[in-house]
């Protein structure tokens, strides 16, 4: 069981800790919401920049090919040569739009002209073209032969337009008329944006933007957007250090991916593949989970976790480029990239809460100590209710109203019970307090030992004495008698004029109640004799006391009415004890006991026997014995 000081300290500290935890939780929730807002803003920015860049580059290329599709230098003849007017036109277009990898025109007779920038290619891609180190532009030209062969000549020029190399590829095997961008454009007779695929000549991922020629010969003009550089740009916009951006078209073909180079390399090991891998081929992990849960949704966002339990915010949004080309952009933002400051603030808040809580401990302990001391004093006063000790003059006070009122109430109760014990036997009061004595009417039959006392010639003394002096003398006399009886555990039942009625073995059991009564009678007699010496010295008439002692069964309990009752003893045993006191006058003794008393304690006390007598009001003879003293 805890003390009040410990309990109040634990209670307050529990409250402080709970409050601190609640505040930290609220702070964490607020900061987490702010973190999600920050991550969402980053994803908005990455999405806007990535899609804006893709849409802007595709729109610019589409505008260019639409303009070139009407140029007579391209659309009026399918006879191509190394010095044709279309070449400088294509070179100027590449300079104007650096996002383009190449621009080319294909004709229905199999002729093909391409101008490609080589300065931006990787070493591997330049090796595939067999480009000299000084080459800045590669011009590829296919002129069909009468037998249907499509030999290609590739001419390399430096920045100044000077030829720096030339190769002839007699069996190159490229027929533009079989490429999807070509026949899709002619079939729809409108501009076309292809799905991502690997370029035939350099195995680089590209998207082709094409338009039908609007001149004298049928054909298609097209330009390539190189996706590896675009994917690098997109990943630079990722939300957070560990974020990811993926873009794929309506067919699922990847346009941008954090591992784009690896996917390209994988595609290059399978020459039969004509396109880059699809988003549908990613069948595990967070990406697959997000794609599955976003099926048939134009927009979806939420939280997903990787295999290590790390949380990622995701957003998948569909977009449209032009009339027939659409796709989706998927963004993943790692929570840890945005919650570092949150965790630092949480840790700081935790440390602050611990420090504040630790600071409260001594204050609460001091407060609890003060309260505990006050309550202990009140508890001590409450304990005195049971011991019937004299109450202190001043109640226990406190600055706390309820405790102050409690102290005053306990002090008042102590005074009331202490005062009550002066009018009712203390054993009765104690029994009422500890509930060993009932407060309802009723009685039981049990054995008790009784003493009745009386002052010899009290009526004559009272007639001659001053009433006030008599009252004081009687009170002194009763105090001495009562003290002797209480010392042996007797219950002083009542004062009847100058007489006293005392009994033992009730309300609490006393196995030696007969011996107690005998000792009490001898002690009271001796105390009365000493008091009479004082009375005579003061000129007062001495009080000669006579005692009657008897033991037997009596009815003991609450007698009276429900409004006023008295705990007392009734019966023949009580009457006989009173008669024994009166017999002292006849035989000239001071302390008379019945035969029942004698038989119980004759081995402990000295008695002098008398003849049997019939007491007043009795029908049977009773042997009587004078109690002389204790055995030596």
């Amino acid at each position: 069981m805890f003390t009040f000081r410990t309990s109040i300290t634990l209670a307050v500290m529990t409250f402080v800790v709970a409050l601190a935890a609640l505040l930290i939780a609220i702070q964490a929730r607020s900061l987490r919401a702010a973190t999600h807002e920050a991550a969402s803003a980053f994803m908005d920015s990455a999405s806007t920049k990535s899609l804006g860049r893709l849409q802007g580059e595709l729109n610019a290329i589409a505008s260019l090919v639409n303009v070139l599709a009407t140029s007579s230098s391209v659309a009026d003849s399918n006879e191509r040569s190394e010095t044709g007017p279309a070449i400088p036109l294509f070179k100027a277009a590449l300079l104007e739009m650096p996002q383009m990898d190449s621009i080319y025109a294909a004709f229905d007779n199999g002729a093909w002209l391409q101008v490609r920038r080589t300065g931006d290619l990787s070493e591997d891609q330049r090796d595939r073209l067999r480009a000299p180190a000084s080459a800045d532009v590669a011009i590829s030209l296919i002129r069909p032969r009468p037998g249907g062969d499509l030999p290609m000549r590739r001419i390399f020029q430096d920045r100044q337009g000077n030829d720096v190399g030339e190769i002839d590829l007699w069996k190159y095997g490229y027929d533009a008329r079989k490429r999807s961008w070509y026949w899709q454009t002619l079939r729809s007779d409108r501009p076309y944006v292809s799905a991502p695929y690997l370029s035939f000549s350099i195995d680089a991922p590209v998207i082709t933007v094409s338009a039908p020629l609007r001149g004298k010969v049928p054909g298609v003009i097209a330009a390539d957007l190189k996706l590896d550089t675009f994917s690098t740009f997109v990943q630079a916009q990722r939300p957070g250090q560990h974020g990811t951006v993926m873009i794929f078209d309506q067919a699922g073909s990847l346009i941008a991916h954090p591992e784009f180079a690896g996917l390209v390399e994988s595609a290059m090991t399978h020459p039969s593949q004509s396109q880059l891998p699809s988003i549908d081929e990613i069948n595990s992990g967070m990406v697959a989970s997000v794609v599955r849960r976003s099926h048939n949704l134009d927009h979806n966002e939420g939280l997903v976790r990787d295999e290590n339990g790390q949380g990622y915010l995701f957003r998948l949004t569909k977009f449209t480029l032009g009339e027939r080309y659409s796709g989706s952009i998927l963004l993943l933002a790692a929570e840890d990239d945005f919650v570092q400051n949150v965790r630092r603030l949480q840790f700081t808040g935790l440390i602050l809460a611990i420090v504040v809580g630790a600071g409260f401990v001594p204050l609460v302990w001091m407060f609890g100590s003060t309260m505990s001391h006050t309550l202990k004093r009140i508890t001590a006063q409450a304990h005195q209710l049971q011991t019937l000790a004299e109450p202190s003059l001043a109640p226990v006070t406190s600055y706390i109203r309820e405790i102050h009122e409690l102290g005053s109430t306990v002090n008042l109760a102590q005074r009331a019970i202490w005062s009550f014990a002066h009018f009712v036997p203390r054993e009765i009061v104690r029994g009422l307090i500890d509930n060993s004595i009932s407060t309802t009417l009723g009685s039981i039959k049990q054995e008790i030992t009784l003493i009745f006392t009386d002052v010899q010639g009290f009526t004559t003394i009272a007639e001659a004495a001053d009433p006030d002096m008599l009252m004081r003398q009687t009170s002194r006399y009763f105090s001495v008698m009562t003290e002797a009886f209480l010392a042996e555990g007797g219950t002083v039942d009542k004062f009847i004029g100058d007489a006293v009625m005392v009994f033992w073995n009730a309300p609490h059991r006393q196995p030696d109640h007969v011996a107690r009564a005998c000792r009490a009678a001898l002690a009271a007699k001796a105390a009365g004799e000493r008091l009479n010496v004082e009375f005579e010295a003061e000129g007062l008439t001495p009080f000669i006391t006579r005692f009657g002692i008897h033991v037997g069964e009596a009815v003991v309990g609450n007698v009276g009415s429900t409004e006023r009752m008295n705990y007392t003893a009734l019966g023949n045993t009580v009457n006989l004890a009173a008669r024994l006191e009166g017999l002292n006058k006849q035989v000239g003794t001071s302390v008379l006991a019945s035969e029942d008393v004698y038989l119980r304690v004759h081995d402990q006390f000295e008695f002098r026997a008398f003849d049997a007598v019939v007491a007043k009001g009795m029908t049977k003879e009773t042997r009587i014995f004078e109690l002389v003293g204790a055995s030596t």
Side-chain angles (χ1 to χ4, degrees), residues 491-556:
T491 300
V492 180
D493 181 65
K494 58 176 67 74
F495 300 103
I496 310 169
D498 61 315
V500 181
M501 175 182 173
V502 190
F503 55 81
W504 280 261
N505 205 37
H508 302 297
R509 298 291 183 176
Q510 297 167 319
D512 59 340
H513 54 93
V514 179
R516 285 173 177 264
C518 291
R519 285 196 300 268
L522 293 174
K525 178 183 177 183
E529 291 173 351
R530 291 191 296 271
L531 181 63
N532 284 334
V533 173
E534 296 179 10
F535 285 165
E536 290 177 351
E538 297 173 10
L540 299 175
T541 304
F543 284 181
I544 307 301
T545 307
R546 296 187 295 241
F547 300 85
I549 310 172
H550 181 51
V551 60
E553 284 192 343
V555 177
V556 181

Side-chain angles (χ1 to χ4, degrees), residues 440-470:
T440 59
L441 293 173
S443 60
I444 60 173
K445 181 179 288 188
Q446 70 180 69
E447 184 180 72
I448 61 173
T449 301
L450 295 103
I451 290 180
F452 270 87
T453 73
D454 189 40
V455 177
Q456 178 180 320
F458 184 79
T459 302
T460 303
I461 296 173
E463 289 177 353
D466 177 73
D468 185 59
M469 291 297 295
L470 180 63

Side-chain angles (χ1 to χ4, degrees), residues 366-384:
M366 292 172 60
F367 173 76
S369 297
T370 303
M371 295 283 291
S372 177
H373 178 69
T374 302
L375 290 177
K376 282 182 178 179
R377 292 173 58 195
I378 295 176
T379 303
Q381 284 192 344
H383 180 69
Q384 290 176 346

